[in-house]
């Protein structure tokens, strides 16, 4: 927890200086830049960029709208498929999705159309007199959604569009999930995440109740009985443990806890910042953590991974951001021991150098020690205990089938769980890469499945009654 770092000094820079370091990672396009960039699009038939987009945004269509000076029309086309189009334009790894598929990569320029920045331009500059989507006539059905993250809210929004009433149950005091609490502050600065949630909810028909914890004051059995369907978008609430002695010592904490505190901080200058830090992990969260520490003023940040750079789950773009912020990367080193000082606080870590032997990772016996005032683990998350966002510590929820080799919820191709009337999506299920854009698609597709199943049940009941 972040409390274990309170012995560290606060950031040395002023709040104003730090705020400048946590603005948007990339500046927005001007109207002229957007016009020039949109003219580069070839508006492909059966565009590969659209096929690469997890939410199926018609990329060529929205870019043509920008080119034709119809920015609001472009935004509506985006939001129709991805109601979190604003956040995704900033955090989505376009370099491995739509932009990687762009045919412009194969021409003389060798540069894709800047799809992410064009999407951001459309969303940021659209003007709506009211919510762009109207609700269908009321169905009289009410659906419970557990979790107000991208998956849950995307599901709720689509269900509301289809005429259902929705009650969203959220553990934390704010809605938004990963967008509000887990994304690097330089990717979603200011109150953007909350403004996007407010926009989503303005369609109507969605009630959000905060402080609702599955397994504590909220129970799946009750929801299953009281509502016509239930969608679980609970994410993953607990950080994986290293399994080392000293893991709970002051100075060692989960990266997601620190990122959450940073995103909610009113004064960044008051945050505890280590002079020297170690971040253990190889994903985008590890990169986010390391870069933000450098921007807060840490002198030395070392990201350590047990395999090589080529095996890191962070994208090449994210790794380049780390390098630009002078994060040192130490690969082929596995955590071996937490080093503590005489008072029991973290003073560094001991690692064993590794290599591949016969296709397996093996230790070499060579030891490396890295001094640090704090260690942050970013080695993945699992289902948590009661009180965490992603928890199945609930009598009926514990009966949900899990995927083999995983503690995630098993669902079919329509996001149905083994329990009739209960659906799930987002990070708490196995398919996908734990991306915001995929969580949004899960929620949207689950909503369509719920709608179809509810309508089918209603039709069957009516026919039986007739």
């Amino acid at each position: 927890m972040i409390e274990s770092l309170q012995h560290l000094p606060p950031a040395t820079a002023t709040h104003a200086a730090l705020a400048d370091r946590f603005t948007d990672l990339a500046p927005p396009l001007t109207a002229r830049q957007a016009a020039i960039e949109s003219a580069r699009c070839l508006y492909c038939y059966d565009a590969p960029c659209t096929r690469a987009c997890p939410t199926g945004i018609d990329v060529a269509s929205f870019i043509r709208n920008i080119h034709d000076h119809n920015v609001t029309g472009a935004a509506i086309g985006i939001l129709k498929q991805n109601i979190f189009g604003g956040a995704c334009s900033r955090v989505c790894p376009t370099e491995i999705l739509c932009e990687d598929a762009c045919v412009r990569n194969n021409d003389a320029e060798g540069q894709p159309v800047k799809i992410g920045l064009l999407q951001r331009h459309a969303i940021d500059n659209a003007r709506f007199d009211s919510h762009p989507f109207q609700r269908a006539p009321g169905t009289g059905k009410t659906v419970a959604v557990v979790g107000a993250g991208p998956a849950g809210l995307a599901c709720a929004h689509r269900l509301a569009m289809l005429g259902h009433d929705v009650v969203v149950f959220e553990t934390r005091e704010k809605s938004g999930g990963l967008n509000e609490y887990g994304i690097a502050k330089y990717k979603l600065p200011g109150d953007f995440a909350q403004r996007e949630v407010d926009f989503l909810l303005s369609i109507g028909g969605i009630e959000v109740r905060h402080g609702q914890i599955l397994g504590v004051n909220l129970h799946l059995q009750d929801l299953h009985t009281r509502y016509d369907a239930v969608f679980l978008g609970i994410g993953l609430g607990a950080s994986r443990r290293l399994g080392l002695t000293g893991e709970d010592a002051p100075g060692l904490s989960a990266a997601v806890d620190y990122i959450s505190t940073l995103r909610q901080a009113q004064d960044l200058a008051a945050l505890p910042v280590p002079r020297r830090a170690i971040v253990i992990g190889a994903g985008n969260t590890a990169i986010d953590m390391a870069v933000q520490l450098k921007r807060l003023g840490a002198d030395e940040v070392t990201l350590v991974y047990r395999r090589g750079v080529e095996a890191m789950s962070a994208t090449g773009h994210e790794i380049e951001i780390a390098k630009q912020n002078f994060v040192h990367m130490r690969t082929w080193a596995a955590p071996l021991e937490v080093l503590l000082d005489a008072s029991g606080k973290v003073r560094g870590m001991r690692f064993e150098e590794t290599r591949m032997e016969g296709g397996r990772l093996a230790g070499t016996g060579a030891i490396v020690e890295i001094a640090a005032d704090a260690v942050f683990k970013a080695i993945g998350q699992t289902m948590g205990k009661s009180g965490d966002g992603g928890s199945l510590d609930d009598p009926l929820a514990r009966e949900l089938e899990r995927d083999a080799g995983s503690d995630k919820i098993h669902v079919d191709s329509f996001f149905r769980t083994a329990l009739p009337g209960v659906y799930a999506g987002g990070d708490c299920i196995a398919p996908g890469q734990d991306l915001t854009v995929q969580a949004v698609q899960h929620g949207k597709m689950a909503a369509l499945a719920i709608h179809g199943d509810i309508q089918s049940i209603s039709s069957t009941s009516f026919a039986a009654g007739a």
Side-chain angles (χ1 to χ4, degrees):
M1 298 296 289
I2 189 67
E3 289 78 11
S4 72
L5 305 174
Q6 295 304 325
H7 65 284
L8 298 173
T12 55
T14 64
H15 178 73
L18 289 171
D20 288 340
R21 299 176 194 173
F22 287 90
T23 55
D24 277 308
L25 185 61
L29 297 176
T30 64
R32 178 168 174 74
Q33 288 172 328
I36 293 171
E37 193 61 27
S38 62
R40 294 185 61 236
C41 182
L42 300 178
Y43 313 121
C44 304
Y45 174 76
D46 191 25
C49 51
T50 291
R51 284 186 273 116
C53 175
T55 56
I57 291 173
D58 189 339
V59 177
S61 177
F62 92 71
I63 293 180
R64 182 180 287 278
N65 271 322
I66 293 175
H67 182 261
D68 294 340
H69 309 291
N70 182 10
V71 174
T72 298
I76 291 174
I78 294 164
L79 295 169
K80 181 179 180 180
Q81 297 300 327
N82 183 348
I83 195 61
F84 282 97
C88 288
S89 71
R90 289 164 165 82
V91 307
C92 192
T94 54
E95 66 276 7
I96 63 171
L97 296 172
C98 56
E99 291 180 16
D100 182 57
C102 180
V103 297
R104 280 292 193 185
N105 286 305
N106 303 317
D107 64 16
E109 292 182 25
Q111 293 292 327
V113 174
K114 297 174 181 176
I115 298 170
L117 284 173
L118 285 171
Q119 179 169 318
R120 175 180 165 187
H121 177 79
I123 298 295
D124 288 358
N125 292 282
R127 295 292 178 266
F128 303 115
D129 294 329
S130 59
H131 195 82
F133 305 113
Q134 299 298 314
R135 296 190 66 197
T139 64
K141 304 294 184 181
T142 305
V143 179
V145 171
V146 184
L153 289 177
C155 182
H157 184 269
R158 185 61 53 148
L159 287 168
M161 282 181 63
L162 294 167
H164 306 294
D165 291 320
V166 185
V167 181
V168 180
F169 300 88
E170 167 58 29
T171 297
R172 302 206 194 206
E173 61 182 19
K174 291 183 180 181
S175 300
L178 187 69
N179 290 356
E180 176 60 38
Y181 292 98
I183 296 291
K185 198 173 181 67
Y186 56 79
K187 293 179 180 177
L188 284 181
D191 64 347
F192 183 89
Q194 284 306 298
R195 287 189 284 115
E196 192 165 45
V197 169
D198 292 342
F199 168 76
L200 179 152
L201 295 177
S202 67
I203 191 173
I206 304 172
E207 176 191 354
V208 183
R209 300 177 187 175
H210 295 277
Q212 304 296 302
I213 306 171
L214 192 63
V216 178
N217 59 350
L218 184 69
H219 299 285
L220 185 56
Q221 180 64 66
D222 294 338
L223 299 178
H224 194 236
T225 301
R226 292 164 48 202
Y227 293 89
D228 295 289
V230 180
F231 176 78
L232 299 175
I234 59 178
L236 298 172
S239 293
R240 295 186 186 277
R241 293 183 64 82
L242 295 167
L244 301 176
T245 301
E247 188 164 355
D248 298 315
L252 199 156
S253 64
V256 291
D257 291 340
Y258 192 93
I259 292 172
S260 175
T261 300
L262 189 159
R263 283 197 57 84
Q264 300 304 310
Q266 297 300 310
D267 184 4
L268 295 177
L271 287 172
V273 180
R275 186 172 65 83
R276 301 167 300 178
I278 294 170
V279 178
I280 302 172
N284 290 343
T285 298
I287 299 289
D288 285 355
M289 184 72 230
V291 171
Q292 288 182 114
L293 285 172
K294 286 295 293 183
R295 293 191 175 202
L296 284 170
D299 294 334
E300 191 178 296
V301 179
T302 305
L303 189 149
V304 185
Y305 179 46
R306 61 196 177 113
R307 299 181 186 272
V309 173
E310 69 284 349
M312 294 179 70
S313 58
T315 66
H317 174 67
E318 294 289 331
I319 292 171
E320 188 58 33
I321 292 171
K323 292 178 179 178
Q324 291 171 0
N325 283 270
F326 306 104
V327 173
H328 175 63
M329 292 192 182
R330 180 64 188 256
T331 54
W332 300 108
L336 194 64
E337 183 181 356
V338 181
L339 302 177
L340 307 177
D341 63 17
S343 65
K345 298 184 181 68
V346 168
R347 66 173 180 84
M349 281 202 70
R350 183 171 290 138
F351 298 87
E352 181 181 11
E353 293 185 354
T354 59
R355 65 186 176 202
M356 296 302 294
E357 291 183 358
R360 287 173 166 265
L361 189 70
T364 67
I367 303 301
V368 176
E369 289 190 5
I370 301 176
D373 308 302
V375 175
F376 300 91
K377 53 183 180 179
I379 55 175
Q381 291 178 275
T382 64
M383 290 291 180
K385 298 178 181 179
S386 294
D388 294 316
S391 171
L392 289 181
D393 191 13
D394 175 85
L396 187 59
R398 284 197 295 268
E399 296 181 13
L400 292 172
E401 183 182 348
R402 308 297 182 91
D403 276 291
S406 166
D407 64 350
K408 294 188 175 185
I409 303 169
H410 176 76
V411 296
D412 66 12
S413 59
F414 294 95
F415 300 92
R416 302 185 186 103
T417 71
L419 187 63
V422 178
Y423 305 72
D427 293 353
C428 67
I429 68 171
Q433 299 172 278
D434 294 350
L435 299 176
T436 298
V437 66
Q438 289 182 325
V440 172
Q441 180 69 356
H442 289 179
K444 180 179 74 178
M445 298 307 295
L448 296 175
I450 291 168
H451 176 69
D453 290 348
I454 286 177
Q455 297 298 91
S456 176
I457 291 171
S458 296
S459 299
T460 302
S461 299
F462 177 78

